[in-house]
Amino acid sequence: MSETRHTRVLIIGSGPAGYTAAVYASRAMLSPILVQGIQPGGQLTITTEVENWPGDTEVQGPDLMVRMQAHAEAMGAEVISDHIQSLDLSKRPFTAHGDSGTTYTADAVILATGAQAKWMGLPSEEKFKGFGVSACATCDGFFYRGREVVVIGGGNTAVEEALFLTNFASKVTLIHRRDSLRAEKILQDRLFKNPKVEILWDHVVEEVLGNEQPLGVTGVRARNVATGAETVVPCDGFFVAIGHAPASELVKDQLELHNGGYVKVKPGTTETSTPGVFAAGDLTDHVYRQAVTSAGMGCMAALDAERWLAGHEG
Ligand code: FAD
Ligand code: NAP
């Protein structure tokens, strides 16, 4: 049944940014509504150990997100299982339509829809995700101490991930589909000088190879794009670093975006190009992309929204 719900603050997204915004907005007595989307709990629900969330030496990603939801609800946020299919930011109150048929109107909106790593789209990549295939060296690099890894990509992310992995791995092979990197020159210099790094130019990965029991990666099969010759690179970990896609579809024609689709915010704040609309987390952040930074931005967004509402209500 279709209904209309009004809230002072509508939070879209249930990752660390969204739930943290909900905790702060609730404690500011704003009675926020948080719409979870199709991935309740966000990206951390698809990983296992998280070892860099302050206060927990090790916590399972899904457990952490269950706790964050409980925290937001205990503070008074209403958490709704729905997915926003359209959002109108052209006039206030802002209007959002959910897949459930519910229409949400809001005096302020906090966007926390996150970003998703781009994947190669190989069936073998899908099979070994979480079992040797990763899109986050900061998150998973630690598990490859003294082992060999492969990174795919030629941009800043791939080079940074490869350099970061040299802190743990005995060897890092960067595979790139062309004969030059698009990463910044300073990063390239560091990469070329690192004795643990080998670069396989002009190659694309065709298949991730691995064992069934226990499920795990043993190498990748790569093809030379010029000659067609195939080669197997042995490795224990395969890191995909071919870019991220921010989930900015809802607002792509309504807000200023930059860096390939990330929502642009005024530096040092979460204010977007539309007053009353705030953005937090991976949706705005092409550099750090961490749970703790997303949570920090969620806090900022709630405080920014609270101040903005105080100046625009009544
Ligand atoms: P996300 O967590 O991306 O959440 C986005 C939310 O928006 C989701 O709930 C989704 O359902 C919702 N949403 C999207 N579109 C809509 C819509 N239209 N309507 C309603 N809701 C919508 N970081 C670390 O700090 N440590 C780690 O160990 C770590 N490990 C990781 C492991 C993996 C496999 C991955 C993929 C990431 C990892 N990260 C890690 C990164 C971390 O998960 C992200 O930085 C963080 O989750 C971003 O939080 P967020 O709140 O911005 O968005
Ligand atoms: P990116 O710049 O878009 O680079 C993606 C890389 O992956 C490219 O080299 C591309 O190859 C390759 N690639 C894409 N699809 C592929 C596929 N299917 N198979 C094989 N290779 C594929 O992405 P990014 O490196 O994540 O960077 C995104 C943005 O964030 C950029 O603006 C970047 O500058 C910024 N960033 C900045 C920093 C920093 O300032 N320190 C750090 C990270 C990211 P081609 O080169 O052939 O296209």
Side-chain angles (χ1 to χ4, degrees):
M1 197 183 71
S2 63
E3 59 167 343
T4 298
R5 301 284 314 274
H6 182 76
T7 177
R8 291 172 78 193
V9 181
L10 176 67
I11 301 167
I12 306 177
S14 57
Y19 282 143
T20 307
V23 167
Y24 276 78
S26 302
R27 284 175 50 80
M29 310 304 279
L30 293 172
S31 308
I33 286 180
L34 180 149
V35 177
Q36 289 182 303
I38 53 175
Q39 190 177 47
Q43 292 172 61
L44 282 187
T45 59
I46 59 164
T47 191
T48 49
E49 293 93 5
V50 175
E51 296 185 342
N52 50 16
W53 181 256
D56 286 309
T57 311
E58 184 189 306
V59 59
Q60 296 291 310
D63 291 348
L64 179 60
M65 297 320 298
V66 165
R67 280 166 35 199
M68 279 197 209
Q69 176 175 346
H71 188 172
E73 288 175 323
M75 292 298 126
E78 186 179 353
V79 175
I80 295 182
S81 173
D82 198 355
H83 179 260
I84 302 299
Q85 53 174 251
S86 67
L87 180 62
D88 181 357
L89 301 176
S90 63
K91 56 184 184 307
R92 295 203 292 265
F94 305 115
T95 307
H97 294 285
D99 280 350
S100 65
T102 301
T103 297
Y104 304 88
T105 58
D107 300 323
V109 169
I110 295 176
L111 298 163
T113 49
Q116 298 286 331
K118 288 184 193 162
W119 297 95
M120 314 260 315
L122 301 169
S124 53
E125 169 194 63
E126 189 60 36
K127 175 175 171 181
F128 291 108
K129 258 185 209 169
F131 297 90
V133 171
S134 168
C136 181
T138 320
C139 320
D140 299 329
F142 192 65
F143 304 115
Y144 295 92
R145 275 167 294 180
R147 300 164 86 180
E148 298 192 5
V149 298
V150 164
V151 176
I152 183 135
N156 277 344
T157 302
V159 173
E160 285 190 345
E161 302 266 273
L163 286 168
F164 180 75
L165 286 164
T166 61
N167 294 321
F168 315 98
S170 55
K171 180 180 173 190
V172 178
T173 305
L174 183 89
I175 301 182
H176 184 40
R177 62 184 177 184
R178 294 188 293 121
D179 64 355
S180 65
L181 301 172
R182 69 168 64 231
E184 289 165 22
K185 291 284 176 273
I186 188 165
L187 289 173
Q188 295 194 31
D189 280 353
R190 276 183 217 149
L191 188 80
F192 298 150
K193 280 184 193 145
N194 195 305
K196 283 190 180 176
V197 174
E198 191 169 297
I199 303 178
L200 193 56
W201 300 107
D202 294 318
H203 275 74
V204 287
V205 169
E206 304 244 281
E207 188 183 4
V208 183
L209 308 170
N211 290 326
E212 291 294 328
Q213 279 188 336
L215 202 59
V217 169
T218 55
V220 297
R221 182 166 54 79
R223 178 176 53 83
N224 185 312
V225 291
T227 65
E230 291 195 336
T231 179
V232 169
V233 184
C235 64
D236 302 295
F238 176 56
F239 288 83
V240 180
I242 59 172
H244 277 73
S248 54
E249 190 64 21
L250 279 177
V251 295
K252 70 177 181 344
D253 300 321
Q254 306 186 73
L255 296 180
E256 267 184 56
L257 309 179
H258 65 164
N259 288 319
Y262 289 83
V263 172
K264 189 172 180 183
V265 290
K266 193 170 141 197
T269 77
T270 59
E271 294 169 21
T272 69
S273 52
T274 295
V277 180
F278 305 87
D282 281 14
L283 176 67
T284 72
D285 171 19
H286 67 280
V287 179
Y288 301 106
R289 296 193 285 236
Q290 296 298 295
V292 70
T293 48
S294 297
M297 282 186 263
C299 155
M300 289 165 64
L303 296 177
D304 287 345
E306 181 192 357
R307 285 180 198 135
W308 186 84
L309 285 168
H312 288 81
E313 282 179 337

Coordinates of all heavy atoms in Angstrom, one line a residue, residues 11-19 35-53 65 82-86 112-117 119 133-136 138-140 244 247 250 280-285 288-295, ligand 1:
I11 N 17.9 9.7 5.7 CA 19.3 9.1 5.4 C 19.1 8.0 4.4 O 18.4 7.0 4.7 CB 19.9 8.7 6.7 CG1 20.0 9.8 7.7 CG2 21.3 8.1 6.5 CD1 20.3 9.4 9.1
I12 N 19.8 8.1 3.3 CA 19.7 7.0 2.3 C 21.0 6.2 2.3 O 22.1 6.7 1.9 CB 19.5 7.6 0.9 CG1 18.2 8.5 0.9 CG2 19.3 6.5 -0.1 CD1 17.9 9.2 -0.4
G13 N 21.0 5.0 2.8 CA 22.1 4.1 2.8 C 22.4 3.6 4.2 O 22.2 4.4 5.2
S14 N 22.8 2.4 4.3 CA 22.9 1.7 5.7 C 24.3 1.2 5.9 O 24.5 0.2 6.5 CB 21.9 0.7 5.9 OG 22.0 -0.3 4.8
G15 N 25.4 1.8 5.3 CA 26.7 1.5 5.6 C 27.2 2.3 6.8 O 26.4 2.9 7.5
P16 N 28.5 2.3 7.1 CA 29.0 3.0 8.3 C 28.6 4.5 8.3 O 28.3 5.1 9.3 CB 30.5 2.8 8.2 CG 30.7 1.6 7.4 CD 29.5 1.5 6.5
A17 N 28.6 5.1 7.1 CA 28.2 6.5 7.0 C 26.8 6.7 7.4 O 26.4 7.6 8.2 CB 28.5 7.1 5.6
G18 N 25.9 5.9 6.8 CA 24.5 6.1 7.1 C 24.1 5.9 8.5 O 23.4 6.7 9.2
Y19 N 24.6 4.7 9.1 CA 24.3 4.4 10.5 C 24.9 5.5 11.5 O 24.3 5.8 12.5 CB 24.7 3.0 10.9 CG 23.8 1.9 10.3 CD1 24.4 0.7 9.9 CD2 22.4 2.1 10.3 CE1 23.5 -0.3 9.4 CE2 21.6 1.1 9.8 CZ 22.2 -0.1 9.3 OH 21.4 -1.1 8.8
V35 N 16.8 4.7 5.2 CA 16.4 3.7 4.2 C 17.6 2.9 3.8 O 18.6 3.4 3.4 CB 15.7 4.3 3.0 CG1 15.4 3.3 1.9 CG2 14.5 5.1 3.4
Q36 N 17.5 1.6 4.0 CA 18.7 0.7 4.0 C 19.2 0.4 2.6 O 20.4 0.1 2.4 CB 18.4 -0.6 4.7 CG 18.3 -0.5 6.2 CD 18.0 -1.9 6.8 OE1 17.1 -2.6 6.4 NE2 18.9 -2.3 7.7
G37 N 18.3 0.3 1.6 CA 18.8 -0.1 0.3 C 18.9 -1.6 0.2 O 18.6 -2.4 1.1
I38 N 19.4 -2.1 -1.0 CA 19.4 -3.5 -1.2 C 20.6 -4.2 -0.6 O 20.7 -5.4 -0.6 CB 19.4 -3.9 -2.8 CG1 20.5 -3.1 -3.5 CG2 18.0 -3.6 -3.4 CD1 20.6 -3.5 -4.9
Q39 N 21.5 -3.5 0.0 CA 22.6 -4.1 0.7 C 22.6 -3.6 2.2 O 23.4 -2.7 2.6 CB 23.9 -3.8 0.1 CG 25.1 -4.6 0.6 CD 26.4 -4.3 -0.1 OE1 26.8 -3.2 -0.4 NE2 27.1 -5.4 -0.5
P40 N 21.6 -4.1 3.0 CA 21.6 -3.6 4.4 C 22.9 -3.8 5.1 O 23.4 -4.9 5.1 CB 20.5 -4.4 5.0 CG 19.7 -4.9 3.9 CD 20.6 -5.1 2.7
G41 N 23.5 -2.8 5.6 CA 24.8 -2.9 6.3 C 26.0 -2.5 5.3 O 27.1 -2.3 5.8
G42 N 25.7 -2.4 4.0 CA 26.7 -1.9 3.1 C 27.8 -2.9 2.8 O 27.7 -4.1 3.0
Q43 N 28.9 -2.3 2.3 CA 30.0 -3.2 1.8 C 30.6 -4.1 2.8 O 31.1 -5.2 2.5 CB 31.1 -2.3 1.2 CG 30.8 -1.5 0.0 CD 31.9 -0.5 -0.4 OE1 33.0 -0.9 -0.6 NE2 31.5 0.8 -0.3
L44 N 30.6 -3.7 4.1 CA 31.3 -4.6 5.1 C 30.6 -5.9 5.3 O 31.1 -6.8 5.9 CB 31.5 -3.8 6.4 CG 32.6 -2.8 6.5 CD1 32.7 -2.3 7.9 CD2 33.9 -3.4 6.0
T45 N 29.4 -6.0 4.8 CA 28.6 -7.2 5.0 C 29.2 -8.3 4.0 O 28.8 -9.5 4.1 CB 27.1 -7.1 4.7 OG1 26.9 -6.6 3.4 CG2 26.5 -6.1 5.8
I46 N 30.0 -7.9 3.0 CA 30.6 -8.9 2.1 C 32.0 -9.3 2.4 O 32.7 -9.8 1.6 CB 30.4 -8.5 0.6 CG1 31.1 -7.2 0.3 CG2 29.0 -8.4 0.2 CD1 31.4 -7.0 -1.2
T47 N 32.5 -8.9 3.6 CA 33.8 -9.3 4.0 C 33.8 -10.1 5.3 O 32.7 -10.2 5.9 CB 34.7 -8.0 4.2 OG1 36.1 -8.5 4.3 CG2 34.3 -7.1 5.3
T48 N 34.9 -10.6 5.7 CA 35.0 -11.3 7.0 C 35.6 -10.5 8.0 O 35.0 -9.6 8.6 CB 35.7 -12.7 6.7 OG1 36.9 -12.4 6.1 CG2 34.9 -13.6 5.9
E49 N 36.9 -10.7 8.3 CA 37.6 -10.0 9.4 C 37.8 -8.5 9.0 O 38.3 -8.3 7.9 CB 39.0 -10.6 9.8 CG 38.9 -11.9 10.4 CD 39.1 -13.0 9.3 OE1 39.3 -12.7 8.1 OE2 38.9 -14.2 9.7
V50 N 37.5 -7.6 9.9 CA 37.8 -6.2 9.8 C 38.8 -6.0 11.0 O 38.5 -6.2 12.1 CB 36.6 -5.3 9.9 CG1 37.0 -3.8 9.9 CG2 35.6 -5.6 8.8
E51 N 40.0 -5.5 10.6 CA 41.0 -5.4 11.7 C 41.5 -4.0 11.9 O 42.5 -3.7 12.5 CB 42.3 -6.3 11.3 CG 41.9 -7.7 11.2 CD 43.2 -8.6 11.0 OE1 44.2 -8.0 10.5 OE2 43.1 -9.8 11.3
N52 N 40.7 -3.0 11.3 CA 41.1 -1.6 11.5 C 39.9 -0.8 12.0 O 39.9 0.4 11.7 CB 41.7 -1.1 10.2 CG 40.9 -1.3 9.0 OD1 39.7 -1.7 9.1 ND2 41.4 -1.2 7.8
W53 N 38.9 -1.4 12.6 CA 37.9 -0.6 13.2 C 38.3 -0.3 14.6 O 38.4 -1.3 15.4 CB 36.5 -1.4 13.1 CG 35.4 -0.6 13.7 CD1 34.8 -0.8 15.0 CD2 34.7 0.5 13.2 NE1 33.9 0.1 15.2 CE2 33.8 0.9 14.1 CE3 34.9 1.2 12.0 CZ2 32.9 2.0 13.9 CZ3 34.0 2.3 11.7 CH2 33.1 2.7 12.7
M65 N 28.1 -4.5 11.4 CA 27.0 -3.7 10.8 C 25.7 -4.0 11.5 O 24.9 -3.1 11.7 CB 26.9 -4.0 9.3 CG 28.1 -3.6 8.5 SD 28.9 -2.0 9.0 CE 27.5 -0.9 8.7
D82 N 13.9 -0.7 2.5 CA 13.3 -0.2 1.3 C 14.5 0.3 0.4 O 15.6 0.4 0.9 CB 12.4 1.0 1.6 CG 11.4 1.3 0.4 OD1 11.5 0.7 -0.7 OD2 10.6 2.2 0.5
H83 N 14.3 0.6 -0.8 CA 15.3 1.0 -1.8 C 14.8 2.2 -2.5 O 13.7 2.2 -3.0 CB 15.7 -0.1 -2.8 CG 16.7 0.3 -3.7 ND1 16.4 0.7 -5.0 CD2 18.1 0.4 -3.6 CE1 17.5 1.0 -5.7 NE2 18.5 0.8 -4.8
I84 N 15.5 3.3 -2.5 CA 15.1 4.6 -3.1 C 15.3 4.5 -4.6 O 16.4 4.3 -5.1 CB 15.8 5.8 -2.5 CG1 15.5 5.9 -1.0 CG2 15.3 7.1 -3.2 CD1 14.1 6.1 -0.6
Q85 N 14.2 4.6 -5.4 CA 14.4 4.4 -6.8 C 14.4 5.8 -7.5 O 15.0 5.9 -8.6 CB 13.2 3.6 -7.4 CG 11.8 4.1 -7.0 CD 10.7 3.4 -7.7 OE1 10.1 3.9 -8.6 NE2 10.5 2.1 -7.4
S86 N 13.9 6.9 -6.9 CA 14.1 8.2 -7.5 C 14.1 9.2 -6.4 O 13.5 9.0 -5.3 CB 13.0 8.5 -8.5 OG 11.7 8.6 -7.8
A112 N 24.2 8.6 1.6 CA 25.3 7.7 2.1 C 25.2 6.4 1.3 O 25.2 5.3 1.9 CB 25.1 7.5 3.6
T113 N 25.1 6.5 0.0 CA 24.9 5.3 -0.9 C 26.1 4.6 -1.3 O 26.1 3.6 -2.0 CB 24.0 5.7 -2.1 OG1 24.6 6.8 -2.7 CG2 22.6 6.0 -1.8
G114 N 27.3 5.1 -0.8 CA 28.5 4.3 -1.0 C 29.0 4.2 -2.4 O 28.7 5.0 -3.3
A115 N 29.9 3.2 -2.6 CA 30.5 3.0 -3.9 C 30.7 1.5 -4.0 O 30.8 0.8 -3.0 CB 31.8 3.7 -4.0
Q116 N 30.9 1.0 -5.2 CA 31.1 -0.4 -5.4 C 32.4 -0.6 -6.2 O 32.6 0.1 -7.2 CB 30.0 -1.1 -6.1 CG 28.6 -1.1 -5.3 CD 28.6 -2.0 -4.2 OE1 29.2 -3.1 -4.2 NE2 27.8 -1.7 -3.1
A117 N 33.3 -1.5 -5.8 CA 34.5 -1.8 -6.6 C 34.0 -2.3 -8.0 O 33.0 -3.1 -8.0 CB 35.3 -2.8 -5.9
W119 N 34.5 -4.9 -10.9 CA 35.1 -6.2 -11.1 C 35.3 -6.5 -12.5 O 34.7 -5.9 -13.4 CB 34.2 -7.3 -10.4 CG 34.0 -7.1 -8.9 CD1 33.0 -6.4 -8.3 CD2 34.9 -7.5 -7.9 NE1 33.2 -6.4 -6.9 CE2 34.4 -7.0 -6.7 CE3 36.1 -8.2 -7.9 CZ2 35.0 -7.3 -5.4 CZ3 36.8 -8.4 -6.7 CH2 36.2 -8.0 -5.5
V133 N 40.5 -13.6 -3.8 CA 40.2 -12.5 -4.7 C 39.6 -11.3 -3.9 O 38.7 -11.5 -3.1 CB 39.2 -12.9 -5.8 CG1 38.7 -11.6 -6.6 CG2 39.8 -13.9 -6.8
S134 N 40.2 -10.1 -4.0 CA 39.8 -9.0 -3.2 C 39.9 -7.7 -4.0 O 40.6 -7.7 -5.1 CB 40.8 -8.9 -2.0 OG 40.6 -7.6 -1.4
A135 N 39.2 -6.7 -3.6 CA 39.2 -5.4 -4.3 C 39.7 -4.4 -3.3 O 39.5 -3.2 -3.5 CB 37.9 -5.0 -4.8
C136 N 40.3 -4.8 -2.2 CA 40.8 -3.9 -1.1 C 42.0 -4.3 -0.4 O 42.0 -5.2 0.5 CB 39.6 -3.7 -0.1 SG 40.0 -2.5 1.2
T138 N 44.0 -2.5 1.4 CA 44.1 -2.0 2.8 C 43.4 -3.0 3.7 O 43.8 -3.2 4.9 CB 43.4 -0.7 2.9 OG1 43.7 0.1 1.8 CG2 43.8 0.1 4.2
C139 N 42.3 -3.6 3.2 CA 41.5 -4.5 4.1 C 42.2 -5.9 4.2 O 42.2 -6.5 5.3 CB 40.1 -4.7 3.5 SG 39.4 -3.2 2.8
D140 N 42.7 -6.4 3.1 CA 43.1 -7.8 3.0 C 44.6 -8.1 2.9 O 45.0 -9.2 2.9 CB 42.3 -8.5 1.9 CG 40.8 -8.5 2.1 OD1 40.4 -8.5 3.3 OD2 40.1 -8.4 1.1
H244 N 36.5 2.3 -9.0 CA 35.3 2.1 -8.2 C 34.2 2.9 -8.9 O 34.4 3.9 -9.6 CB 35.6 2.7 -6.8 CG 36.2 1.8 -5.9 ND1 37.6 1.4 -6.0 CD2 35.8 1.0 -4.9 CE1 37.9 0.6 -5.1 NE2 36.8 0.3 -4.4
A247 N 27.9 5.2 -6.1 CA 26.5 5.0 -6.3 C 25.8 6.3 -6.3 O 25.0 6.6 -5.4 CB 25.9 4.0 -5.2
L250 N 21.2 8.2 -8.4 CA 20.0 8.9 -8.0 C 20.2 10.4 -8.2 O 19.2 11.1 -8.4 CB 19.8 8.7 -6.5 CG 19.1 7.4 -6.0 CD1 19.1 7.4 -4.5 CD2 17.7 7.3 -6.5
A280 N 28.0 11.7 2.4 CA 29.0 11.2 3.3 C 29.5 9.8 2.8 O 28.7 9.1 2.1 CB 28.4 11.1 4.7
G281 N 30.7 9.5 3.2 CA 31.2 8.1 2.9 C 31.8 8.0 1.5 O 32.1 8.9 0.9
D282 N 31.8 6.7 1.1 CA 32.4 6.4 -0.2 C 31.8 7.1 -1.4 O 32.4 7.2 -2.4 CB 32.4 4.9 -0.4 CG 33.5 4.1 0.4 OD1 34.1 4.7 1.3 OD2 33.7 2.9 0.1
L283 N 30.6 7.5 -1.2 CA 29.9 8.3 -2.3 C 30.6 9.6 -2.6 O 30.5 10.0 -3.8 CB 28.5 8.6 -1.8 CG 27.6 9.4 -2.8 CD1 27.3 8.7 -4.0 CD2 26.3 9.8 -2.1
T284 N 31.4 10.1 -1.7 CA 32.0 11.4 -1.9 C 33.6 11.2 -1.9 O 34.3 12.2 -2.1 CB 31.7 12.4 -0.8 OG1 32.4 12.0 0.4 CG2 30.2 12.5 -0.5
D285 N 34.0 10.0 -1.6 CA 35.5 9.9 -1.3 C 36.2 8.9 -2.2 O 36.0 7.7 -2.1 CB 35.5 9.3 0.2 CG 36.9 8.9 0.6 OD1 37.9 9.4 0.0 OD2 37.0 8.2 1.6
Y288 N 40.2 7.7 0.4 CA 40.4 6.9 1.6 C 39.5 5.6 1.6 O 40.1 4.5 1.9 CB 40.1 7.7 2.8 CG 40.9 8.9 3.0 CD1 40.4 10.2 2.7 CD2 42.3 8.8 3.3 CE1 41.2 11.3 2.8 CE2 43.1 10.0 3.3 CZ 42.5 11.2 3.1 OH 43.3 12.3 3.2
R289 N 38.2 5.8 1.3 CA 37.3 4.6 1.1 C 37.5 3.6 2.3 O 37.7 2.4 2.0 CB 37.6 3.9 -0.2 CG 37.3 4.8 -1.4 CD 37.2 4.1 -2.7 NE 38.5 3.8 -3.2 CZ 39.0 4.1 -4.4 NH1 38.2 4.8 -5.2 NH2 40.2 3.8 -4.8
Q290 N 37.3 4.0 3.5 CA 37.4 3.1 4.7 C 36.2 3.3 5.5 O 35.5 4.3 5.4 CB 38.6 3.5 5.5 CG 40.0 3.3 4.8 CD 40.2 1.8 4.4 OE1 40.3 1.0 5.3 NE2 40.2 1.5 3.1
A291 N 35.9 2.2 6.3 CA 34.7 2.3 7.2 C 34.8 3.4 8.2 O 33.8 4.2 8.4 CB 34.6 1.0 7.9
V292 N 36.0 3.6 8.7 CA 36.1 4.6 9.8 C 36.0 6.1 9.2 O 35.4 6.9 9.8 CB 37.4 4.4 10.6 CG1 38.7 4.7 9.8 CG2 37.4 5.2 11.9
T293 N 36.5 6.3 8.0 CA 36.4 7.6 7.4 C 34.9 7.8 7.0 O 34.4 8.9 7.1 CB 37.3 7.8 6.2 OG1 37.2 6.6 5.3 CG2 38.8 7.9 6.6
S294 N 34.3 6.8 6.5 CA 32.9 6.9 6.1 C 32.0 7.2 7.4 O 31.1 8.1 7.3 CB 32.4 5.6 5.5 OG 33.1 5.4 4.3
A295 N 32.3 6.5 8.5 CA 31.6 6.8 9.7 C 31.8 8.3 10.1 O 30.9 9.0 10.6 CB 32.0 5.9 10.8
Ligands
FAD1 P1 28.5 1.4 1.8 O1 29.1 0.5 2.9 O2 29.0 1.2 0.5 O3 27.0 1.4 2.0 C1 26.2 1.9 1.0 C2 24.7 1.7 1.4 O4 23.9 2.5 0.5 C3 24.3 0.3 1.3 O5 23.6 0.0 2.5 C4 23.3 0.3 0.2 O6 22.2 -0.7 0.4 C5 22.8 1.7 0.2 N1 22.2 2.2 -1.0 C6 22.8 2.3 -2.2 N2 21.9 2.8 -3.1 C7 20.7 3.0 -2.4 C8 19.4 3.5 -2.8 N3 19.1 3.8 -4.0 N4 18.4 3.5 -1.9 C9 18.7 3.1 -0.6 N5 19.9 2.7 -0.2 C10 20.9 2.6 -1.1 N6 37.0 -0.7 5.1 C11 37.7 -0.7 6.2 O7 37.8 0.3 6.9 N7 38.2 -1.9 6.7 C12 38.1 -3.1 6.1 O8 38.6 -4.1 6.5 C13 37.3 -3.1 4.9 N8 37.2 -4.2 4.2 C14 36.4 -4.2 3.0 C15 36.2 -5.4 2.4 C16 35.5 -5.4 1.2 C17 35.3 -6.8 0.5 C18 35.0 -4.2 0.7 C19 34.1 -4.3 -0.6 C20 35.2 -3.0 1.3 C21 35.9 -3.0 2.5 N9 36.2 -1.8 3.2 C22 36.8 -1.9 4.4 C23 35.7 -0.5 2.7 C24 34.4 -0.2 3.5 O9 33.5 -1.3 3.4 C25 33.8 1.1 2.9 O10 34.7 2.1 2.9 C26 32.5 1.5 3.7 O11 31.6 0.4 3.8 C27 31.8 2.7 3.0 O12 30.7 3.0 3.8 P2 29.5 3.8 3.3 O13 28.6 4.0 4.4 O14 30.0 5.0 2.6 O15 28.8 3.0 2.1

